[in-house]
Amino acid sequence: MMAGFLEYVPGDSFIHKMNPVAKVICAFLISISCFCTTNIVFLALILVLDAVLAASCKMVKPALGLAKVVGIFSIVLVPIALLTSSSGTMLVELPWGYIGTGSIYSAILIVVRLIGCAIPLFLVMYVTQLTDMSNAFCANLHVPYKYAFTFTSAIHFIPVFMNDMSAIMEAQTARGVAFDGSFAKRIRLMIPLCVPLLISSVRKTNSAAIAAEVRGFDLRTSQSGYKRYPFSGTDVLCMVACAALIGISIASNYLMPFAIWL
């Protein structure tokens, strides 16, 4: 069964079994390594690593969907890179500079970097229960529970609001509103729907706040949870490997023949 957006997918992969804090740290280290290098070969290896991680937890299809969405979003940034980075052999002359081979290379880097750094972060959300994530941050990093709860609640409400928006659009479609056509037309039709979505969101957050207060939210401490989240040898090894990945990414800048383009 296909999981919804950012909904937990149970499994028994080694990523599922990792400490939630270790997962988040590793994901952020991989993402940082994507921005520490201009080596397209290294970034291609990061994409291969992302694919291996997605396959290990049986999340290949959601990862490909995410890569497609991020790729489409990053294309918006491609013209900016082309028009603002004048480097390499000149291809097109502009009044304020030129578009060169380095400009094209910079545009490609933007797309590959965003895809490479987004996949690990989203995989963590799919293979980690939000309650475990907030409790682990409190137990291992001593983060105040209200801050950890705020973070995980924000993630939890994303698919809830998306489902609400989908339900509102279906109701409008049943009334004869056609959401097909150009992208601009769909955006124009969706803007008025933000008002009922906002009202529904306020009601849900208010109900969630009341429910949390009734359950003694203000009395919660880092010792209130019954589960413990110790770091295993695999967790430490993965964090060390991901930290080393940053060093490799920096070193790759001096091993790349394409560096002369930038």
Side-chain angles (χ1 to χ4, degrees):
M1 183 176 63
M2 182 66 184
F5 183 69
L6 291 183
E7 290 183 3
Y8 173 69
V9 178
D12 57 354
S13 66
F14 82 96
I15 301 180
H16 282 86
K17 298 176 182 178
M18 285 179 63
N19 184 291
V21 175
K23 295 180 193 180
V24 175
I25 292 176
C26 289
F28 272 106
L29 291 176
I30 294 175
S31 300
I32 292 172
S33 68
C34 292
F35 291 93
C36 291
T37 182
T38 55
N39 190 328
I40 194 67
V41 177
F42 178 84
L43 290 173
L45 294 177
I46 291 293
L47 292 179
V48 173
L49 175 62
D50 293 344
V52 171
L53 293 175
S56 66
C57 54
K58 300 179 180 179
M59 296 294 297
V60 175
K61 191 171 182 179
L64 290 176
L66 173 65
K68 180 181 178 181
V69 173
V70 175
I72 294 174
F73 168 77
S74 59
I75 288 177
V76 179
L77 303 177
V78 168
I80 299 176
L82 293 175
L83 298 176
T84 58
S85 58
S86 301
S87 58
T89 305
M90 185 176 68
L91 301 175
V92 179
E93 186 175 1
L94 300 172
W96 58 86
Y98 65 91
I99 298 176
T101 53
S103 306
I104 297 176
Y105 188 74
S106 298
I108 296 174
L109 280 179
I110 290 175
V111 177
V112 179
R113 275 174 174 164
L114 291 179
I115 295 175
C117 73
I119 292 178
L121 295 173
F122 274 78
L123 282 179
V124 169
M125 303 303 173
Y126 280 112
V127 300
T128 309
Q129 294 192 33
L130 294 179
T131 53
D132 287 337
M133 185 179 295
S134 59
N135 291 335
F137 269 83
C138 294
N140 295 339
L141 301 181
H142 303 289
V143 175
Y145 182 75
K146 61 181 179 180
Y147 298 126
F149 178 81
T150 300
F151 172 72
T152 55
S153 295
I155 298 174
H156 169 74
F157 275 110
I158 292 175
V160 173
F161 294 157
M162 291 180 64
N163 292 335
D164 287 348
M165 188 63 173
S166 178
I168 294 173
M169 292 178 63
E170 290 177 359
Q172 293 297 314
T173 301
R175 292 178 174 88
V177 179
F179 287 96
D180 52 355
S182 64
F183 179 76
K185 178 184 176 182
R186 283 181 287 175
I187 293 297
R188 181 173 56 83
L189 292 174
M190 290 174 63
I191 289 177
L193 304 183
C194 293
V195 175
L197 178 64
L198 178 62
I199 295 174
S200 174
S201 302
V202 171
R203 289 175 178 172
K204 280 185 170 59
T205 53
N206 186 51
S207 299
I210 295 174
E213 186 176 357
V214 170
R215 290 175 172 84
F217 175 80
D218 294 334
L219 303 177
R220 181 69 182 256
T221 64
S222 58
Q223 290 78 27
S224 298
Y226 70 92
K227 292 181 66 175
R228 294 295 176 261
Y229 303 89
F231 288 100
S232 65
T234 303
D235 297 328
V236 176
L237 182 61
C238 289
M239 288 188 289
V240 172
C242 291
L245 203 62
I246 296 179
I248 297 173
S249 68
I250 296 174
S252 67
N253 294 321
Y254 304 96
L255 303 174
M256 181 182 61
F258 302 105
I260 57 177
W261 291 9
L262 302 179

